[in-house]
Amino acid sequence: MKKFILLSFFLASFQLMAQDNKLGNPIAEIQLENLDLISFDNKDNLFASNTSGDIYQFDRFGKKTNLFSPSRQGRLNQLEAAWTVNIFSFSADLQEYRIFDRFLNPLAENNLLLADVNLVKAATFGNNNTVWVWDESDLSIKSLDYLRNLVIQSQPLNLILNSDDLEVLEIREFKNRLFMNIKNEGIFIFDNQGNLIKKIKMVLNQKMCFYNEYLLWTEEGFLMSISIKSQSIFKIAPIENLEPETIQIGQNRLALIQRGRIILYELPNWLKSLR
């Protein structure tokens, strides 16, 4: 109870200071034709994809350092670089995923045309050589061993969530939990066995952005946050003169997407205090 009171006091104080919080001046602005997804690795290198599935790598100052262009072009539904060693991409159009090293050299290129998998609409990288997929054909979360490209567990969700109409926008593993964003429903959190833990009652139409125990997004000129633990929603800071479509955060960098460009900032100290 005492911890909850302290957390509530901290969040209230943080929100009162929100009008004074600023992002500062951008480090860089990156123009990329047909820009689509972005993700930071744990060294603040920025990875960005376009609508053809090309993946660009930029250093922490916004300088382009690498490019991967697939032989089969297809839009990516997921791009993840926050893992210690690997980069992950997934395309629902192509029904395939790739795992890269830090220099965008492919380590695994697997299609999802498996006996136990029929129509994958969302996928994410997991611990212990696993890939989580959302199979819309039977409304199941499935875990694959990517080294063998085999299904190792399956959890049907239509009975758990009491619905046969689930439009999953994104799944992400974060701190050994699986987060599933369902359109017009909210964000559902599962353990590493696919068992439902709880639901975050908010509608999110952007890619999920995690920072410590918070989810961040942009809305009506503000950077917003919700506590995963308490589900308290509050404004963090105004985003002046911008209408960003999404946000992603690295170790010491923050990136916004707006109208085909990436605006790169140093992570402000006031955001680092969000615990």
Side-chain angles (χ1 to χ4, degrees):
M1 183 66 180
K2 184 177 180 180
K3 289 183 178 180
F4 178 79
I5 293 172
L6 290 173
L7 177 61
S8 299
F9 175 78
F10 170 77
L11 294 179
S13 300
F14 198 93
Q15 187 158 359
L16 286 173
M17 294 186 296
Q19 295 292 341
D20 297 325
N21 295 335
K22 306 293 182 183
L23 290 179
N25 296 320
I27 295 172
E29 293 191 12
I30 303 167
Q31 297 285 343
L32 193 61
E33 188 174 357
N34 299 317
L35 173 63
D36 198 13
L37 305 177
I38 58 173
S39 182
F40 285 101
D41 71 8
N42 63 353
K43 296 184 182 299
D44 283 329
N45 295 301
L46 180 66
F47 295 79
S49 68
N50 61 20
T51 53
S52 296
D54 299 320
I55 302 176
Y56 298 80
Q57 182 178 358
F58 302 89
D59 68 15
R60 58 198 302 268
F61 298 105
K63 179 183 177 182
K64 189 174 79 171
T65 57
N66 216 335
L67 167 65
F68 171 80
S69 185
S71 56
R72 294 179 65 210
Q73 297 279 295
R75 185 174 189 172
L76 300 181
N77 297 77
Q78 195 77 350
L79 177 63
E80 299 176 16
W83 295 90
T84 305
V85 178
N86 301 123
I87 314 298
F88 174 83
S89 72
F90 161 70
S91 171
D93 291 341
L94 301 177
Q95 288 291 287
E96 67 182 22
Y97 64 89
R98 286 189 175 90
I99 297 170
F100 305 86
D101 66 15
R102 288 297 172 188
F103 305 100
L104 288 178
N105 298 308
L107 302 175
E109 300 182 47
N110 293 333
N111 66 54
L112 291 161
L113 302 176
L114 306 174
D116 299 323
V117 178
N118 295 297
L119 184 60
V120 176
K121 287 299 186 75
T124 186
F125 199 47
N127 284 308
N128 302 318
N129 300 322
T130 61
V131 172
W132 290 97
V133 300
W134 165 248
D135 191 343
E136 193 172 76
S137 68
D138 59 6
L139 304 179
S140 295
I141 296 176
K142 297 174 181 177
S143 179
L144 313 180
D145 181 336
Y146 86 82
L147 295 176
R148 296 179 295 162
N149 205 26
L150 295 174
V151 176
I152 53 179
Q153 67 173 339
S154 179
Q155 177 73 282
L157 293 188
N158 56 323
L159 297 179
I160 296 175
L161 303 181
N162 298 316
S163 176
D164 290 322
D165 184 23
L166 301 173
E167 185 175 348
V168 176
L169 301 177
E170 183 185 11
I171 57 175
R172 282 276 304 276
E173 182 172 316
F174 177 70
K175 293 186 177 180
N176 213 31
R177 295 161 293 178
L178 184 67
F179 290 73
M180 173 180 283
N181 185 11
I182 300 179
K183 186 176 181 179
N184 299 325
E185 291 287 337
I187 298 173
F188 294 79
I189 305 176
F190 302 85
D191 65 17
N192 58 8
Q193 300 299 314
N195 300 306
L196 181 64
I197 299 174
K198 67 178 180 179
K199 173 184 177 180
I200 297 177
K201 298 176 182 179
M202 66 167 291
V203 174
L204 181 65
N205 296 316
Q206 302 175 16
K207 284 293 185 180
M208 288 184 280
C209 173
F210 296 96
Y211 187 68
N212 294 327
E213 283 297 314
Y214 296 86
L215 275 166
L216 278 67
W217 73 100
T218 62
E219 180 181 313
E220 297 181 349
F222 276 89
L223 180 59
M224 305 290 296
S225 176
I226 184 168
S227 167
I228 296 171
K229 294 179 179 178
S230 69
Q231 301 199 32
S232 300
I233 297 176
F234 57 102
K235 296 177 180 179
I236 298 179
I239 304 175
E240 298 177 344
N241 304 317
L242 293 174
E243 296 179 2
E245 301 154 25
T246 192
I247 179 174
Q248 289 298 316
I249 292 178
Q251 300 297 310
N252 289 290
R253 291 292 185 268
L254 180 152
L256 301 173
I257 287 183
Q258 178 182 318
R259 299 174 187 172
R261 61 176 177 157
I262 303 168
I263 308 172
L264 187 65
Y265 297 88
E266 184 174 357
L267 194 66
N269 288 328
W270 52 260
L271 188 53
K272 293 178 183 179
S273 67
L274 189 62
R275 299 294 177 186

